[in-house]
Amino acid sequence: MRKVAVISYGMTKVEKHWRKSLRELFGDAAKVALKDARVRGLDALIVGNMCASDLSDQNNIGALLADYLGVTPSMAYRVEAACGSGGAAVLSAYSAVASGMYDIVMTGGVEKLSDGVGGYTTLSLGKAADADYELFFGSSFVSLNALIMNYYMHTFHTPREAFADFAVLMHKNGARNPYAQLPFEITRETVMESDKIADPITLYDCAPVGDGAAAIILCPLEDAPKYAENFVEIAGIAGATDTINVASRSDLLSLNSTIVAADRAYKMAKLTPSDIDVAEIHDTFTITGALSLEDLGFCEKGKFAKSLEEKAFEHGGVVTVNPSGGLKSRGHPVGATGGYQLAEVTMQLLGKANRMQVPDAEIGLTHNIGGSGSSSFVSILRRAK
Amino acid sequence: MRKVAVISYGMTKVEKHWRKSLRELFGDAAKVALKDARVRGLDALIVGNMCASDLSDQNNIGALLADYLGVTPSMAYRVEAACGSGGAAVLSAYSAVASGMYDIVMTGGVEKLSDGVGGYTTLSLGKAADADYELFFGSSFVSLNALIMNYYMHTFHTPREAFADFAVLMHKNGARNPYAQLPFEITRETVMESDKIADPITLYDCAPVGDGAAAIILCPLEDAPKYAENFVEIAGIAGATDTINVASRSDLLSLNSTIVAADRAYKMAKLTPSDIDVAEIHDTFTITGALSLEDLGFCEKGKFAKSLEEKAFEHGGVVTVNPSGGLKSRGHPVGATGGYQLAEVTMQLLGKANRMQVPDAEIGLTHNIGGSGSSSFVSILRRAK
């Protein structure tokens, strides 16, 4: 198996891009990545997206974007695993390069959620759940996660305020991120007093709805010096699934797909959670962030609040979590989120993160979830040169 | 790069499966494949689908199907490249095995088109075209292909009847296929006198709308004897893109994505068109079949009708084309079609095709298109044992 490097990346700011079409949005990110790498073209384009069929009337996005970028007849397809589409696309692109089939592969994702009229974006996002046994009965993502958050607080005697404090940290980080959708600081009270969405989840526990695109270019590690001065190695990468229906889980307070995917990725990289300097994790809701931190091995199960209080997840802590602001503040253009995470961690490891920079970051992790934990994709990146 | 084998396959009959959900339909095909291979589980599930978000309110189909099959925490995702989704999924699964990342991978596809109310299925299928520059202006797939068919007949002085005769051959083949949606013979008059859909295309020039699922299991070629008595090798596999917008093509009468993908696949397999014994090609409309046969190298450009008249594509001809009946008679459950093709050619090479059998078939080809030629995926299979 060939080793794989990330040689460049590009991102758009996450916001409501009313004046950009799907292809223009991805094009903006892709052009930055193409400009920064000394590549002549792409052998393949493997792109994550969830909602374009619903919200932009567009499928066949691989060919659409290959055409727009002028890289036809490159091989192209779209990968979808709900909000984990970006992470799944990166895994698919990794295997395309690792196998020896393709040398220069662009991956990442694009999502335009703003165009959904009325409740249509919420319905479209709900299709990540079980259509027959959850969505049909009126469950939404926020309602399912509200049940989990209540149960977590009850089980581990965790104060509601701890979740608010996680959102505060995310916004503190995101305020330094020029690509963030919500780049401003908030207080505990902002979260506690914001509108109830599904008790106990309030508006500021939730990732916002926005548009964005992120692109990264992969190539064989041994060829990377030809294309870039500095690059990172994907040292580990894995995915895993769990029941799609939340009610069928054996343990509501663990994301088993995350536990398994992380375990596989750590083993592949021959690393452990304590080796990670910087992590971009999937915090759709503050409760999702809490479960993720525990299941990735960054703190004990049920102890998220204690670690947060001890500043374990801040700059200078045990692991710097979401210096981008995470889904909460950077934003969550669903099928692109996994692409953002790879781009952000690459940026950190190359020392190009400016005000977000984690000093001397050498090893980073990305963690992208589809549905309420039915799919997880984890990758571990290492500074190569 | 590891060599890759197909060790088993399963298909459902293509028809209107009103009483089966998406997961049940794929489950029916998957269970046959799982029963025939001596595997204990799946390392990954990479499935093609185009329209489930629109027509079944369901995304996240990788996790959905992994859950239904009871193979969580296997890695899973969906691949989409419009009507080429199945072929793209197989390519993605091939790289997953070839890279060494995964050993036992199920791929193929599932599609339920019958549930689309009113014109909603037509709209959903139209999303394979350029939403902004084709679909928005009222173009449908049939209207775009009608323009191409008119231009073909004008350019090459091809009689309308030749296209009808291709449909007749497809139905003659499909009448022997227990999985076919339209398993009956027709005459030239059936086609010529059927309802006009978009002049000159009539109803019987078109592939029908139906539901179906096909699953195949891949593993490293060297491990295949552990899991199956007989198996085939994927000797070549490739994909390519072209402009998504038909009006932007440099040549309306060539499918450049097919030419390039076929060339890459032939080179990888070190074979030429004359080596192919049996081919399952993408004949959405009779004109698509004609262009495909020419661009795959089975006859000269513009000479499809002459070769058809010389019985080149029949049992006993130069290459037996679509013994399944092809999209025209077997049916075209879009995201599953590429999976059917792999299953059918594997069945042929293993000598298990019963009344469809091409005697002594050793080498077969599959050809799956997304959009009106914006993506093509070609694979070449060889009997291994």
Side-chain angles (χ1 to χ4, degrees):
Chain A
M1 191 158 78
R2 301 202 290 188
K3 292 183 175 185
V4 178
V6 185
I7 50 170
S8 71
Y9 57 89
M11 292 175 266
T12 69
K13 182 172 163 61
V14 184
E15 59 183 338
K16 296 193 188 300
H17 288 280
W18 301 113
R19 289 171 175 280
K20 297 258 181 198
S21 70
L22 202 66
R23 73 188 97 187
E24 290 166 332
L25 199 56
F26 188 77
D28 284 353
K31 283 172 204 165
V32 174
L34 284 167
K35 191 167 163 287
D36 282 356
R38 296 187 294 258
V39 295
R40 290 211 178 164
L42 300 175
D43 297 320
L45 177 61
I46 298 176
V47 64
N49 171 272
M50 176 179 176
C51 297
S53 183
D54 289 340
L55 305 178
S56 306
D57 279 344
Q58 186 68 66
N59 269 313
N60 207 6
I61 292 167
L64 178 89
L65 298 177
D67 184 16
Y68 184 69
L69 294 178
V71 297
T72 55
S74 301
M75 196 283 294
Y77 57 78
R78 169 169 79 111
V79 170
E80 184 267 322
C83 312
S85 299
V90 174
L91 189 148
S92 187
Y94 178 95
S95 73
V97 176
S99 67
M101 293 175 76
Y102 298 97
D103 287 334
I104 309 293
V105 179
M106 179 176 282
T107 183
V110 58
E111 202 77 66
K112 250 185 93 62
L113 297 176
S114 301
D115 293 344
V117 179
Y120 203 51
T121 299
T122 302
L123 170 62
S124 183
L125 294 170
K127 296 177 182 180
D130 189 317
D132 297 340
Y133 298 108
E134 290 181 324
L135 192 59
F136 181 81
F137 295 99
S139 304
S140 68
F141 269 109
V142 63
S143 67
L144 290 166
N145 282 281
L147 293 169
I148 294 171
M149 184 163 155
N150 261 325
Y151 186 47
Y152 185 102
M153 293 193 294
H154 170 79
T155 305
F156 298 121
H157 309 290
T158 307
R160 164 70 187 96
E161 287 76 6
F163 296 91
D165 292 348
F166 183 75
V168 170
L169 174 60
M170 292 300 98
H171 276 265
K172 186 179 165 193
N173 290 345
R176 302 174 178 192
N177 182 357
Y179 302 105
Q181 183 175 5
L182 305 179
F184 52 80
E185 298 203 26
I186 58 170
T187 63
R188 184 188 275 185
E189 289 64 41
T190 318
V191 185
M192 301 296 287
E193 290 162 18
S194 64
D195 290 347
K196 278 261 160 66
I197 306 298
D199 190 23
I201 291 179
T202 69
L203 183 65
Y204 272 85
D205 285 300
C206 307
V209 165
D211 313 329
I216 60 172
I217 300 180
L218 308 185
C219 81
L221 182 64
E222 61 178 15
D223 296 345
K226 280 197 280 182
Y227 304 116
E229 293 294 321
N230 300 290
F231 47 87
V232 308
E233 179 192 353
I234 300 181
I237 188 163
T241 49
D242 198 351
T243 64
I244 189 163
N245 191 321
V246 171
S248 303
R249 302 272 159 86
S250 56
D251 177 1
L252 276 184
L253 302 181
S254 287
L255 300 161
N256 195 52
S257 63
T258 291
I259 293 171
V260 174
D263 184 55
R264 290 172 179 166
Y266 286 131
K267 282 192 177 130
M268 183 174 167
K270 298 190 178 71
L271 293 168
T272 66
S274 64
D275 295 314
I276 307 298
D277 299 315
V278 54
E280 288 289 340
I281 68 147
H282 196 95
D283 57 322
T284 333
F285 305 99
T286 49
I287 175 66
T288 324
L291 296 180
S292 298
L293 288 168
E294 294 169 359
D295 294 333
L296 289 165
F298 294 140
C299 64
E300 277 178 60
K301 181 52 67 187
K303 298 287 176 64
F304 140 81
K306 186 164 167 285
S307 293
L308 184 70
E309 207 183 322
E310 292 167 355
K311 304 183 186 300
F313 309 131
E314 302 185 18
H315 279 275
V318 176
V319 51
T320 307
V321 172
N322 293 355
S324 72
L327 282 61
K328 180 71 210 70
S329 170
R330 174 241 292 127
H332 182 30
V334 290
T337 294
Y340 274 90
Q341 295 175 326
L342 267 284
E344 288 156 351
V345 170
T346 300
M347 185 168 68
Q348 287 285 351
L349 301 185
L350 297 183
K352 296 180 177 178
N354 296 323
R355 293 175 64 215
M356 293 176 275
Q357 185 65 46
V358 177
D360 298 322
E362 279 190 32
I363 295 169
L365 175 146
T366 69
H367 165 246
N368 191 199
I369 294 179
S372 295
S374 48
S375 305
S376 290
F377 298 91
V378 173
S379 71
I380 296 173
L381 281 68
R382 181 163 35 205
R383 192 168 65 200
K385 189 185 169 183
Chain B
M1 190 158 79
R2 300 201 290 189
K3 292 183 174 186
V4 178
V6 184
I7 50 171
S8 71
Y9 58 88
M11 292 175 268
T12 69
K13 182 172 163 65
V14 184
E15 60 183 338
K16 295 191 189 301
H17 288 280
W18 301 113
R19 290 171 175 278
K20 297 259 183 199
S21 70
L22 201 67
R23 72 189 96 189
E24 289 166 333
L25 200 55
F26 188 76
D28 285 354
K31 284 173 203 164
V32 174
L34 284 167
K35 190 167 163 286
D36 282 357
R38 296 187 294 258
V39 295
R40 290 209 179 165
L42 300 175
D43 297 320
L45 177 62
I46 298 175
V47 64
N49 171 271
M50 176 179 175
C51 297
S53 184
D54 289 339
L55 305 178
S56 305
D57 278 343
Q58 187 69 65
N59 269 312
N60 207 5
I61 291 166
L64 178 91
L65 299 177
D67 183 16
Y68 184 69
L69 294 177
V71 298
T72 56
S74 302
M75 197 284 293
Y77 57 79
R78 168 169 80 109
V79 169
E80 184 267 324
C83 311
S85 300
V90 174
L91 188 150
S92 187
Y94 177 94
S95 75
V97 175
S99 67
M101 292 175 76
Y102 298 97
D103 287 333
I104 309 293
V105 178
M106 178 175 282
T107 183
V110 58
E111 203 76 67
K112 250 185 93 60
L113 297 176
S114 300
D115 293 345
V117 180
Y120 203 52
T121 299
T122 301
L123 170 62
S124 184
L125 294 171
K127 296 177 183 179
D130 190 318
D132 297 338
Y133 298 108
E134 289 182 324
L135 191 60
F136 181 82
F137 295 98
S139 304
S140 69
F141 269 110
V142 63
S143 66
L144 290 167
N145 281 281
L147 293 169
I148 294 172
M149 184 163 153
N150 261 326
Y151 187 48
Y152 184 103
M153 293 194 296
H154 170 79
T155 305
F156 298 120
H157 310 289
T158 307
R160 165 70 185 94
E161 287 76 7
F163 295 90
D165 292 347
F166 183 75
V168 170
L169 175 59
M170 292 301 99
H171 276 265
K172 187 177 167 197
N173 290 347
R176 303 171 178 194
N177 182 358
Y179 302 105
Q181 183 176 5
L182 305 178
F184 52 80
E185 297 203 27
I186 59 171
T187 65
R188 182 188 278 186
E189 289 66 40
T190 318
V191 185
M192 301 296 286
E193 291 162 18
S194 62
D195 290 347
K196 276 262 161 64
I197 306 298
D199 191 23
I201 292 179
T202 69
L203 183 66
Y204 273 85
D205 285 299
C206 307
V209 166
D211 313 328
I216 61 172
I217 300 181
L218 308 185
C219 80
L221 182 64
E222 60 177 15
D223 296 345
K226 282 197 278 182
Y227 304 117
E229 293 295 321
N230 302 290
F231 48 87
V232 309
E233 178 191 354
I234 300 181
I237 187 163
T241 50
D242 199 350
T243 64
I244 188 161
N245 190 320
V246 171
S248 304
R249 301 272 159 85
S250 57
D251 178 2
L252 276 184
L253 302 181
S254 287
L255 300 162
N256 195 51
S257 64
T258 291
I259 293 172
V260 174
D263 184 56
R264 290 172 179 167
Y266 286 131
K267 281 193 176 132
M268 184 174 165
K270 299 189 178 73
L271 292 168
T272 67
S274 63
D275 295 314
I276 307 297
D277 300 315
V278 54
E280 287 290 341
I281 68 147
H282 197 94
D283 58 322
T284 332
F285 305 100
T286 49
I287 175 66
T288 324
L291 297 181
S292 298
L293 288 167
E294 294 169 358
D295 294 332
L296 290 164
F298 294 140
C299 65
E300 276 178 63
K301 179 55 62 188
K303 298 287 177 62
F304 140 81
K306 185 163 169 285
S307 293
L308 184 70
E309 207 182 321
E310 291 166 357
K311 302 184 189 297
F313 309 129
E314 301 185 19
H315 279 274
V318 176
V319 51
T320 308
V321 171
N322 292 355
S324 72
L327 281 60
K328 179 70 212 71
S329 171
R330 173 243 290 127
H332 182 29
V334 289
T337 293
Y340 274 90
Q341 294 175 326
L342 266 284
E344 287 156 352
V345 170
T346 301
M347 185 169 68
Q348 287 284 352
L349 302 185
L350 297 182
K352 296 181 176 177
N354 297 322
R355 293 175 63 215
M356 293 175 275
Q357 186 65 46
V358 177
D360 298 323
E362 278 189 34
I363 294 169
L365 174 146
T366 69
H367 166 245
N368 190 200
I369 294 180
S372 295
S374 48
S375 305
S376 290
F377 298 91
V378 173
S379 70
I380 296 173
L381 281 67
R382 180 163 37 203
R383 191 167 68 200
K385 189 185 171 183

